[in-house]
């Protein structure tokens, strides 16, 4: 039987912010449209062009994954987990199906979205938007974020036989307007070739026996741990936390327990490798054809100039986990984490400089994602919502 997403030994590292949250509040149906019991989403839900959404198993009418997100006056101060920029402005996503739009990164408006599941990732290409998260939900906007269509929902049900049901999506990548990838917990990968209307599962990790957790044996009064006890073994179905693409079209994925995958043929086949750090990596950035930067647990950052054949540790000066990041020109980068942590370097090889962000309430939020605002500042999102920050180093 597939492990459920609240398996305690896997939560602590790989999903940290996102999976530590409740999946969604169980609410009674209101006036919101929902799929009646016994029907699939494709029986009812059609977008404006008449194309049916992806067929799914029967979903209860009061399941949060298919209920409209509730308007909340303080949505901009709620937990937000990702942010993206389009010609129409900034879009942030987070708990309870919240999607927020902003022209300037300062003033945010909640948008109507057909799900209450927590959204963990948002992607954009040529003004078209996709967002995804818990319960396997994927929603889609083709009009600059004004209206949204639910394309996929796969919540866990008591009679489920599909191992992907209930599995949260952790990251999205679109390489053009038609071709995209979604990755998530338990080695989940979904691929679309029609702009996100339909999604098909793909295999990244070849099937194999699940490796047992290290065992620790007590010797009477003396508990001891040897090197074998402490070694982290590779998971047979690791959480896939982030996906990126290089300029030559190569794809790379990072995940829990040092998991690293790469594809040089557009995702048709994947090579599994191990990072030199055996903890979880939560994000990966790319420059050019082979330059990569992976970041994650306990402030660990690894850099590669050969598409992951070799890695060098990067000194960050912190033990704080790094949850989000953004590539800057010439190998520069900005990384964010707990307690308002912001790390920046202006170019490849430069040391990271540490800053601490506090919002207007004097709080130092746990930050999940970051994006330059185009005016020497940063748009930050995390457990206290969205905020603007101008690091002293870039102040005019």
């Amino acid at each position: 039987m597939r492990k459920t997403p609240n398996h305690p030994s896997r939560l602590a590292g790989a999903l940290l912010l996102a999976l530590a949250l409740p999946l969604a509040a169980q609410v009674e149906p209101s006036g919101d449209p929902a799929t009646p019991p016994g029907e699939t989403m494709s029986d009812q839900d059609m977008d404006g062009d008449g194309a049916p959404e992806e067929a799914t198993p029967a979903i209860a009418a009061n399941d949060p994954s298919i209920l409209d997100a509730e308007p909340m006056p303080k949505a901009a101060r709620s937990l937000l987990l990702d942010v993206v920029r389009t010609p129409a402005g900034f879009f942030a996503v987070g708990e309870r199906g919240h999607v927020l739009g902003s022209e300037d990164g300062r003033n945010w408006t909640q948008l109507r979205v057909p799900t209450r599941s927590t959204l963990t990732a948002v992607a954009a290409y040529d003004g078209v938007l996709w967002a995804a998260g818990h319960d396997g939900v994927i929603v889609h906007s083709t009009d600059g974020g004004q209206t949204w269509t639910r394309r996929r929902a796969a919540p866990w049900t008591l009679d489920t036989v599909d191992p992907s049901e209930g599995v949260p999506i952790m990251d999205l990548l679109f390489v053009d307007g038609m071709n995209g990838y979604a990755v998530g917990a338990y080695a989940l990968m979904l691929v679309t070739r029609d702009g996100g209307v339909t999604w098909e599962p793909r295999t990244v990790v070849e099937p194999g026996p699940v490796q047992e957790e290290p065992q620790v044996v007590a010797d009477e009064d003396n508990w001891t741990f040897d090197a074998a006890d402490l070694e982290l073994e590779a998971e047979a179905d690791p959480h896939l936390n982030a996906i990126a693409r290089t300029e030559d079209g190569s794809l790379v994925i990072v995940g829990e327990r040092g998991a690293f995958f790469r594809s040089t043929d557009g995702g048709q086949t994947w090579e599994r490798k191990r990072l030199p750090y055996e903890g979880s990596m939560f994000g990966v950035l790319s420059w050019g054809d082979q330059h990569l930067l992976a970041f994650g647990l306990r402030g660990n950052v690894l850099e590669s100039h050969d598409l992951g054949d070799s890695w060098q540790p990067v000194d960050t000066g912190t033990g704080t986990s790094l949850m989000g990041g953004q590539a800057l020109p010439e190998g520069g980068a900005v990384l964010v984490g707990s307690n308002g942590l912001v790390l920046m370097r202006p170019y490849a090889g430069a040391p990271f400089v540490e800053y601490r962000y506090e919002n207007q309430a004097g709080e130092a939020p746990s930050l999940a994602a970051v994006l330059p605002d185009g005016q020497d500042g940063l748009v930050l999102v995390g457990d206290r919502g969205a905020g603007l920050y101008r690091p002293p180093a870039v102040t005019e």
Side-chain angles (χ1 to χ4, degrees):
M1 180 180 294
R2 178 184 62 81
K3 299 181 288 293
T4 56
N6 60 357
H7 188 275
S9 67
R10 304 282 294 276
L11 276 179
L15 304 180
L16 201 59
L17 286 177
L19 292 188
L21 303 172
L23 291 183
Q26 294 290 333
V27 295
E28 294 300 321
S30 58
D32 300 328
T35 306
E39 296 187 15
T40 65
M41 281 168 38
S42 59
D43 294 326
Q44 283 199 336
D45 294 320
M46 308 279 284
D47 65 14
D49 60 11
E53 296 179 3
E54 182 180 338
T56 64
I59 301 173
N62 66 341
D63 193 280
S65 67
I66 60 171
L67 296 181
D68 284 357
E70 296 177 290
M72 293 186 173
K74 296 184 179 180
R77 308 307 303 161
S78 64
L79 175 70
L80 300 175
L81 294 169
D82 201 10
V83 63
V84 72
R85 189 177 189 181
T86 77
F90 297 94
F91 294 87
V93 301
E95 65 176 328
R96 300 178 182 271
H98 291 167
V99 176
L100 305 172
S102 173
E103 293 183 357
D104 57 8
R106 185 181 302 276
N107 301 297
W108 296 84
T109 301
Q110 185 179 359
L111 305 172
R112 182 180 173 88
V113 178
T115 188
R116 293 182 190 176
S117 296
T118 293
L119 298 173
T120 58
V122 60
Y125 190 91
D126 198 23
V128 178
L129 289 150
W130 301 263
H134 287 195
D135 302 311
V137 165
I138 300 176
V139 293
H140 181 203
S141 175
T142 59
D143 59 4
Q146 296 307 301
T147 60
W148 293 78
T149 301
R150 188 176 57 252
R151 295 301 188 181
R152 184 179 190 271
W156 184 85
T157 57
L158 289 174
D159 58 352
T160 184
V161 294
D162 184 347
S164 70
E165 285 187 18
V167 173
I169 294 167
M170 301 307 298
D171 199 14
L172 286 171
L173 171 71
F174 273 79
V175 301
D176 55 40
M178 300 300 292
N179 297 285
Y181 303 84
V183 296
Y186 306 110
L188 176 71
M189 170 175 273
L190 304 170
V191 175
T192 181
R193 300 303 184 205
D194 57 11
V197 176
T198 60
W199 294 82
E200 297 294 333
R202 291 290 175 86
T203 299
V204 177
V205 183
E206 293 299 328
V210 176
Q211 300 185 27
E212 296 295 330
E213 299 286 342
Q215 299 296 313
V216 178
V217 179
D219 179 16
E220 298 274 336
D221 299 325
N222 184 28
W223 288 78
T224 60
F225 297 79
D226 62 22
D229 294 328
L230 297 175
E231 182 177 354
L232 291 174
E233 298 181 0
E235 289 285 353
D237 57 348
H239 299 324
L240 306 179
N241 293 331
I243 181 170
R245 183 176 184 264
T246 63
E247 289 184 4
D248 68 357
S250 298
L251 299 169
V252 293
I253 296 172
V254 296
E256 70 171 328
R257 292 196 173 182
F260 173 73
F261 301 87
R262 69 181 180 188
S263 172
T264 57
D265 57 9
Q268 296 302 309
T269 60
W270 293 87
E271 179 183 7
R272 181 171 186 167
K273 300 177 75 69
R274 292 280 286 172
L275 297 174
Y277 171 61
E278 294 185 329
S280 295
M281 288 293 176
F282 300 126
V284 59
L285 309 178
S286 69
W287 302 264
D289 292 343
Q290 297 192 323
H291 186 184
L292 304 174
L293 189 80
F295 57 89
L297 200 64
R298 298 180 179 176
N300 279 278
V301 173
L302 299 171
E303 192 159 20
S304 174
H305 293 272
D306 52 17
L307 201 63
D309 281 332
S310 62
W311 295 87
Q312 298 77 42
V314 177
D315 182 17
T316 61
T318 182
T320 299
S321 293
L322 300 167
M323 300 302 302
Q326 182 69 28
L328 303 177
E330 300 181 0
V334 53
L335 308 175
V336 296
S338 300
N339 301 318
L341 177 65
V342 178
L343 298 178
M344 294 189 71
R345 74 178 190 188
Y347 53 85
F352 277 99
V353 178
E354 179 178 324
Y355 304 96
R356 293 285 171 174
Y357 164 70
E358 289 188 357
N359 61 20
Q360 292 181 345
E363 303 165 321
S366 292
L367 300 173
V370 58
L371 204 62
D373 71 350
Q375 298 179 358
D376 292 333
L378 302 172
V379 176
L380 304 170
V381 299
D383 67 351
R384 295 294 185 268
L388 275 177
Y389 177 56
R390 180 163 294 189
V394 296
T395 300
E396 295 180 357

